[in-house]
């Protein structure tokens, strides 16, 4: 019972269903850890413990009657602050929405609760979900449990930190710029960015938002790869308007182990230098994959990655432009105008993106779809494309100035933090599913993750790869002091 916080959601659900632990006991275990550890992490920023206790009692009473609500019966869950949950604030870190207490649920929340979760809290985010850190003027900063001086990632940083520290049973985040993937990478947990559109975004939003955003996805984070599979099954499927005419049937992964799996490897790209400590861990993982019997080869789709990145950043910033304050856009334009003939690459692309006319957006979208077919042709021969999730392990908090001006040290030299968006867009802009899972620890003792990209709609192949790596090589390791 004293190790409940290291277990996966699937394991917790099994303990509850078999009555080896009650839902009340499991919840109280996590609540006690939150009281002990959350003050120095600030991962969970809203909680309704009494709501959780009531739900836990109901879960135990249902089991006593022989009723099982679903595959996650009684599992304690927190969720990213950006999801609407009745009675909770949904602010996206914006002070003007501090009192936005919704009485509606995100569709994904409704599905998760029907599957049995005990949703009792919310986790921290950056303002407008727009940073690889997690801080805002309402709730303050979230720290990485491996080292509180470091970022846990963003924008689902509170989610990943809470999981790694053992404060919750399972989590869900969102991802348009690696916002599930980089926190999973920085904190040593699992995350899935699903194929675009297969999990509805409805009410993962601020008020009066109805249209799903381009590139944006919602998906699970967890301490175990099997949890991703269960959560995907629960969260995915047609939204209200689509359920009249189509249903989702994701292909199952045919592989049963790493042996014979075809893994293409891409560990570097001129668009984003990789820190040596991280690259060494990824190379060690590749070597272990080969030793386990996987077919491993350094190869990648025949595409212009520089152009892919340009298309991604422009479409990304076009997608987020509607919620970007006019003052920010004006400041970016002024900075670009003052930068002379050799402007910052990201600033230039960002300004182009937020100011795109629809006519200018259309050819970029057409390029994107051409890239999608190029990737699909590649995946006819490969099961997984393995690549980095970011440029390095977690880095020190840096909340000064604007994000595009900040740098992080890579191999002893400053690199723009925004350069890491290359690895976000590599699968994101072309709508492909990708998992991030623990690859090991760097020489400095920090967790890093691999990114495993699969063919369009083959989310279960990406998850299967993470399951096999977890089983045959290694998975989640608790941070020191949180065991």
């Amino acid at each position: 019972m004293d190790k409940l916080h290291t277990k996966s959601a699937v394991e917790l659900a099994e303990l509850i269903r078999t009555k080896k632990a009650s839902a009340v006991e499991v919840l109280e275990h996590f609540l006690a850890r939150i009281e002990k550890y959350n003050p120095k992490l600030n991962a969970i920023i809203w909680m309704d413990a009494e709501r959780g206790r009531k739900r836990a009692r109901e879960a135990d009473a249902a089991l006593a009657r022989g009723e099982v609500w679903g595959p996650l019966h009684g599992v304690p869950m927190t969720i990213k602050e950006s999801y609407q949950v009745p009675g909770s604030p949904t602010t996206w870190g914006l002070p003007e929405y501090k009192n936005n207490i919704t009485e509606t649920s995100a569709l994904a929340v409704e599905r998760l609760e029907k599957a049995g979760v005990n949703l009792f809290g919310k986790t921290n985010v950056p303002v407008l979900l727009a940073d690889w850190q997690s801080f805002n003027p309402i709730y303050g900063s979230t720290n990485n449990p491996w080292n509180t001086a470091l970022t846990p990632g963003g924008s689902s940083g509170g989610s990943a930190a809470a999981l790694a520290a053992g404060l919750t049973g399972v989590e869900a985040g969102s991802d348009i710029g690696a916002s599930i993937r980089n926190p999973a990478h920085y904190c040593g947990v699992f995350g899935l960015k699903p194929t675009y559109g297969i999990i509805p975004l409805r009410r993962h939003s601020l008020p009066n938002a109805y249209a799903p955003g381009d590139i944006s996805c919602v998906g699970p984070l967890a301490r175990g790869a099997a949890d991703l599979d269960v959560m995907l099954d629960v969260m995915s499927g047609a939204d209200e308007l689509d359920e009249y005419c189509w249903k989702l049937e994701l292909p199952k992964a045919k592989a049963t182990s790493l042996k014979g799996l075809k893994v293409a490897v891409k560990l570097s790209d001129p668009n984003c230098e990789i820190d040596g400590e991280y690259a060494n861990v990824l190379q060690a993982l590749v070597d272990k994959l080969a030793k386990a019997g996987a077919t491993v080869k350094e190869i990648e789709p025949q595409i212009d990655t520089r152009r892919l990145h340009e298309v991604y950043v422009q479409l990304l910033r076009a997608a987020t432009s509607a919620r970007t304050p006019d003052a920010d856009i004006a400041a970016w334009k002024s900075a670009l105008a003052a930068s002379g003939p050799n402007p910052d690459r990201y600033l230039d692309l960002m300004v182009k993106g937020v100011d795109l006319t629809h006519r200018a957006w259309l050819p970029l979208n057409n390029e994107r779809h051409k890239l999608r077919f190029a990737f699909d042709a590649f995946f006819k021969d490969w099961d997984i494309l393995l690549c980095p999730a970011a440029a390095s392990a977690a880095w020190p908090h840096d909340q000064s100035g604007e994000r595009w001006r900040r740098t992080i040290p890579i191999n002893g030299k400053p690199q723009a933090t925004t350069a890491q968006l290359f690895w976000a867009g590599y699968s994101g802009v072309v709508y492909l599913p990708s998992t991030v899972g623990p690859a090991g620890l760097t020489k400095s003792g920090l967790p890093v993750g691999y990114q495993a990209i699969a063919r369009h709609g083959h989310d279960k192949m990406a998850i299967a790869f993470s399951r096999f790596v977890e089983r045959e090589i290694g998975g989640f390791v608790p941070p020191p002091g949180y065991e």
Side-chain angles (χ1 to χ4, degrees):
M1 291 292 290
D2 61 340
K3 294 293 184 182
L4 289 173
H5 54 276
T6 66
K7 296 188 180 299
S8 68
V10 168
E11 291 170 328
L12 292 173
E14 177 67 14
L15 287 173
I16 294 169
R17 275 197 307 272
T18 57
K19 301 183 182 178
K20 293 176 181 175
S22 70
V24 169
E25 289 172 324
V26 175
L27 175 65
E28 291 297 338
H29 180 83
F30 283 106
L31 291 177
R33 287 185 62 83
I34 291 167
E35 184 176 355
K36 181 177 181 180
Y37 294 113
N38 195 56
K40 66 180 178 182
L41 296 178
N42 194 37
I44 297 172
I45 44 74
W46 175 88
M47 193 166 66
D48 188 341
E50 291 313 306
R51 166 189 171 143
R53 289 183 173 114
K54 180 175 182 291
R55 172 81 165 171
R57 290 193 297 269
E58 291 170 352
D60 288 334
L63 279 180
R65 297 190 300 269
E67 297 175 11
V68 178
W69 291 339
L72 298 170
H73 185 106
V75 174
M77 179 179 184
T78 53
I79 200 165
K80 189 174 184 177
E81 199 265 7
S82 47
Y83 287 81
Q84 292 183 26
V85 175
S88 76
T90 304
T91 72
W92 292 39
L94 292 166
E96 58 264 40
Y97 288 104
K98 186 174 182 179
N99 297 316
N100 179 40
I101 312 297
T102 67
E103 294 307 319
T104 51
S105 280
L107 181 57
V109 169
E110 292 177 1
R111 292 176 176 179
L112 286 163
E113 290 191 319
K114 285 179 182 177
V117 301
N118 183 0
L119 185 54
F120 70 95
K122 281 188 156 185
T123 46
N124 205 19
V125 297
V127 173
L128 285 171
L129 318 186
D131 205 321
W132 278 23
Q133 303 178 87
S134 292
F135 68 95
N136 62 72
I138 303 174
Y139 303 117
S141 302
T142 297
N143 300 318
N144 191 315
W146 286 84
N147 181 336
T148 55
L150 307 181
T151 176
S155 59
S156 309
S159 303
L163 279 169
L167 309 185
T168 187
V170 74
E171 257 282 352
S174 60
D175 190 312
I176 191 172
S179 285
I180 287 172
R181 290 166 286 163
N182 85 68
H185 160 68
Y186 289 154
C187 292
V189 298
F190 292 89
L192 167 70
K193 185 205 80 66
T195 298
Y196 176 75
I198 68 170
I199 302 179
L201 288 164
R202 187 149 51 96
R203 293 190 293 275
H204 172 265
S205 66
L206 291 169
N208 301 314
Y210 298 95
D214 186 22
I215 308 171
S216 184
C217 300
V218 292
L221 294 102
R223 281 187 294 271
D227 294 356
L228 303 181
D229 217 5
V230 172
M231 293 278 281
L232 175 64
D233 288 344
V234 168
M235 298 172 74
S236 62
D239 198 352
E240 185 178 43
L241 295 177
D242 294 318
E243 65 186 9
Y244 307 118
C245 54
W246 65 261
K247 65 179 181 178
L248 184 68
E249 291 185 4
L250 294 174
K252 293 186 189 252
K254 296 178 181 178
T256 58
S257 71
L258 289 174
K259 187 175 182 179
L261 209 63
K262 296 178 180 178
V263 182
V265 176
K266 175 183 171 63
L267 299 186
S268 64
D269 192 275
N271 289 277
C272 182
E273 183 180 354
I274 301 300
D275 191 76
E277 285 197 17
Y278 180 25
N280 289 341
V281 176
L282 288 177
Q283 185 58 58
L285 174 63
V286 170
D287 295 342
K288 291 172 185 176
L289 292 173
K291 189 174 181 180
T295 299
V296 179
K297 184 178 180 181
E298 291 189 18
I299 191 173
E300 61 180 299
Q302 295 300 301
I303 58 172
D304 180 346
T305 59
R306 180 180 176 86
R307 183 56 186 163
L308 177 145
H309 185 57
E310 291 173 348
V311 170
Y312 169 61
V313 174
Q314 290 177 84
L315 291 178
L316 169 69
R317 291 307 162 214
T320 60
S321 62
R323 63 179 188 245
T324 302
D326 290 342
D328 289 355
I329 295 175
W332 297 337
K333 288 181 176 179
S334 295
L336 183 64
S339 61
N342 297 303
D344 176 89
R345 183 187 180 201
Y346 176 78
L347 176 64
D348 183 40
L349 292 170
M350 179 169 63
V351 169
K352 288 176 180 175
V354 296
D355 226 17
L356 279 177
T357 64
H358 187 59
R359 188 180 185 203
W361 181 89
L362 288 169
L364 285 171
N365 185 46
N366 191 59
E367 272 194 79
R368 182 243 305 277
H369 284 276
K370 181 181 178 181
L371 288 165
R372 292 181 68 199
F373 282 105
F375 272 96
D376 196 62
F378 177 80
F379 278 113
K380 290 176 182 176
D381 298 319
W382 297 94
D383 298 312
I384 291 292
L385 175 54
L386 188 73
C387 65
S392 68
W395 33 274
H397 295 292
D398 180 4
Q399 301 173 7
S400 61
E402 293 192 76
R403 181 187 181 193
W404 67 271
R405 294 185 186 274
R406 301 179 197 140
T407 62
I408 57 174
I410 303 295
N411 296 318
K413 300 172 292 185
Q415 182 185 106
T417 58
T418 51
Q420 298 186 86
L421 281 168
F422 171 78
W423 298 110
Y426 193 64
S427 62
V429 70
V430 287
Y431 298 163
L432 293 176
S434 54
T435 55
V436 166
L441 301 181
T442 66
K443 184 180 177 181
S444 301
L446 293 175
V448 286
Y450 57 81
Q451 181 172 195
I453 305 171
R455 193 176 188 179
H456 182 86
H458 285 65
D459 301 58
K460 289 184 176 287
M461 182 69 257
I463 295 171
F465 175 81
S466 290
R467 286 203 327 267
F468 303 153
V469 171
E470 179 184 30
R471 183 181 69 205
E472 301 177 39
I473 297 175
F476 171 71
V477 176
Y482 297 86
E483 299 92 339

